[in-house]
Amino acid sequence: MGFWGSFLVVMSDEKASARLPEVTESHESVLLDAEGGWRVWAIDRKNPISKNELSVMVERSEAPALCAYVMDSDCAVIEALGVRTGFWRACLGRESMAGYMAESGETVEGWFPSADESVRAATDWAKDAGLDPSESRLAGAFAAAPDPFVEPVFEAMLEALGVRSASNGEKRS
């Protein structure tokens, strides 16, 4: 059984729960300390970070924020909000996501933009965040099939956005 939960990418040294009172009901840990003050939090709770919670993070940090809701390590819903660029949504592991969505009669194409549109939105978000994105690497991440887990694809997407480890890939909790 894989990971069910959220990865929250924010500009903050504070715990996610300090900025989002709703997070206090779940377990949170630092997945990655990144260059430029960015931090990636792993938040273990049943429900994904909502668009409203993402908006609160952007407002309180005065910086863009991104969330990945990981579904059993098979696929991930990416939702992000920029200060100037607004909200966008994408997915990682489109084929796996299609399997989850088929149960409800929804389609990946109905919920998520194409990989090309996702690359454009992600690039704009990264530039809004003051990062240096790689469009070609973002395209690779959005087109990648998790093998076997989506987490390495998410990490590749972060690198492509310009969110890079400040501690040579060290992870801590």
Side-chain angles (χ1 to χ4, degrees), residues 5-17:
S6 296
F7 296 132
L8 180 63
V9 182
V10 292
M11 173 76 77
S12 177
D13 289 336
E14 292 183 81
K15 293 185 85 168
S17 57

Side-chain angles (χ1 to χ4, degrees), residues 17-159:
S17 57
R19 298 210 180 241
L20 286 177
E22 298 86 352
V23 173
T24 59
E25 298 173 9
S26 62
H27 175 71
E28 63 184 301
S29 59
V30 175
L31 179 70
L32 174 72
D33 278 320
E35 295 174 350
W38 291 94
R39 183 166 277 173
V40 181
W41 291 94
I43 300 174
D44 183 13
R45 74 174 193 187
K46 184 177 180 178
N47 298 322
I49 301 294
S50 71
K51 186 176 177 182
N52 184 54
E53 289 172 310
L54 208 53
S55 180
V56 168
M57 288 301 300
V58 169
E59 181 181 314
R60 291 182 180 172
S61 68
E62 299 179 347
L66 180 144
C67 180
Y69 181 65
V70 177
M71 302 166 68
D72 201 22
S73 292
D74 290 332
C75 53
V77 176
I78 306 297
E79 294 185 324
L81 182 63
V83 174
R84 292 175 294 281
T85 56
F87 180 80
W88 60 275
R89 175 184 293 138
C91 81
L92 299 176
R94 290 178 81 86
E95 191 174 315
S96 297
M97 183 67 72
Y100 284 96
M101 296 183 84
E103 296 173 15
S104 67
E106 300 287 344
T107 65
V108 170
E109 293 77 18
W111 270 83
F112 301 102
S114 69
D116 288 342
E117 292 168 317
S118 297
V119 168
R120 282 191 293 278
T123 299
D124 289 345
W125 180 90
K127 289 178 180 176
D128 188 12
L131 300 169
D132 184 23
S134 166
E135 290 183 27
S136 63
R137 291 174 62 202
L138 280 166
F142 286 121
D147 184 24
F149 304 114
V150 77
E151 288 86 348
V153 178
F154 174 69
E155 291 171 9
M157 184 197 76
L158 288 179
E159 277 281 326

